[in-house]
Amino acid sequence: MAATIRDVARLAGVSASTVSRALSMPGVVNATTRARVQAAAEQLGYAPNKAARGLITGRTGNIGLVVPDLANPFFPSVVKGVQARARMHDVAVFLADTDEDAAAEVGLVQALAKQVDGLILCSPRADEEELAEIAADTNVVLVNRLVEGVPAVTFDNEGGMRQAVAHLVALGHRRIAWVGGPKTSWSSAHRSIGLFAAAHDHGVQLVDVGHFAPTYEGGMAAADQAVASGATAVVAYNDLVAIGLLARLHARGITVPDDLSVVGIDDIAMSRMSRPALTTVRLPKQRAGEIAVELLLAMIDDPDPDTIIGTRGTLHGELMVRDSTGLAADRTSDPARP
């Protein structure tokens, strides 16, 4: 039979209540007693019941993770990082998908907050004011989004775009098209900032094709406009959009990279499987999930430490050069393509 708290108490020579305090609130028990209790628990293979421990500590032992769209391969990598690190701390993860609906996101987050000790919001679609209100009521860490005063893990979107532009310029490209993500996307805005700054620094033209859904279909929809822009290279908001571009370009008989080079962002698994294999900026997505858990658990242990509130971790991307980029084509030589 599994060991009980009374078994641990007998072996350690203390009361059951002392065992409970030593395992759930070790700071209130002297070091010698605490060590004796922990040794006894380890010897007997005793694991405290989470529900019972929650009654004492006021904690659930759960955290929430909210993502916009699990069908987007970007987010499962973040989920894996969160789950792996949470498991190390014996914490359960409640996962929710908002289906890219900012209004539904707020209601879902408010409901989930009542069942967990804190929340990780990955690429949230709600506006800053709504996110600040949520963070005022519960422990919150953001991933891929910045809001003043809220701990966050972000990616160096601007730096990643500078790498992409430098690569294309080195291949002779002087007119580059940008296929942006949703208008309300924080990361799309910052990627755009990085692209325009890099284009200015290199003295090349950047054509903003517009805002599109962050999906394969969004890339399909953007392809014709990207071709009409007269650019010799296209940078897409993410890899899914880039792969959609590749599909539509292939359907039109436009060869990548001979006629048009394509660059994505994220480095999802499909980017290596596409034909041609996609040049992209690799983002450390799983690592972002791991860091977010550490930040959140630190907040839960001490809800208002100066070292946590407003903490921002920035992770840098790495350009992965593959087959979808090549030397700039002379677009003026083909009358079918402006």
Side-chain angles (χ1 to χ4, degrees), residues 92-148:
V93 179
F94 291 178
L95 177 61
D97 180 338
T98 66
D99 200 26
E100 293 284 355
D101 187 333
E105 180 179 74
V106 174
L108 180 60
V109 165
Q110 290 172 340
L112 186 58
K114 299 173 184 177
Q115 306 173 58
V116 298
D117 300 321
L119 294 165
I120 296 172
L121 308 183
C122 185
S123 300
R125 303 316 192 201
D127 62 37
E128 285 196 17
E129 185 176 343
E130 290 172 319
L131 291 172
E133 289 177 1
I134 291 168
D137 294 332
T138 189
N139 298 312
V140 171
V141 170
L142 304 177
V143 174
N144 200 32
R145 181 73 183 272
L146 284 179
V147 173
E148 186 65 32

Side-chain angles (χ1 to χ4, degrees), residues 30 37 45 68 91 94 116 122 151-152 159 176 189 208 219 221 223 234 242 245 297 318 333:
N30 73 66
V37 169
V91 171
F94 291 178
V116 298
C122 185
I176 301 168
D208 191 340
V234 184
L245 281 165
L297 294 181
E318 179 185 4
S333 64

Side-chain angles (χ1 to χ4, degrees), residues 160-249:
M161 293 300 89
R162 286 182 177 276
Q163 291 183 54
V165 170
H167 169 63
L168 292 173
V169 169
L171 292 172
H173 296 276
R174 294 295 177 266
R175 185 174 173 88
I176 301 168
W178 161 236
V179 176
K183 288 183 179 180
T184 57
S185 168
W186 179 87
S187 58
S188 182
H190 282 263
R191 289 170 184 178
S192 179
I193 290 170
L195 276 172
F196 276 95
H200 177 270
D201 291 347
H202 286 281
V204 298
Q205 284 185 294
L206 186 67
V207 183
D208 191 340
V209 174
H211 298 278
F212 296 85
T215 61
Y216 176 89
E217 291 76 15
M220 292 275 285
D224 292 339
Q225 294 178 53
V227 172
S229 73
T232 58
V234 184
V235 178
Y237 166 69
N238 66 15
D239 284 355
L240 277 183
V241 172
I243 292 169
L245 281 165
L246 292 177
R248 175 59 181 160
L249 294 173

Side-chain angles (χ1 to χ4, degrees), residues 3-17 19-20 44 46:
T4 67
I5 194 169
R6 290 182 175 81
D7 296 329
V8 176
R10 271 195 298 272
L11 183 59
V14 298
S15 67
S17 60
V19 172
S20 178
L44 294 172
Y46 172 73

Side-chain angles (χ1 to χ4, degrees), residues 296-310:
L296 184 59
L297 294 181
M299 288 185 72
I300 293 168
D301 286 339
D302 188 351
D304 194 26
D306 292 337
T307 55
I308 297 298
I309 298 301

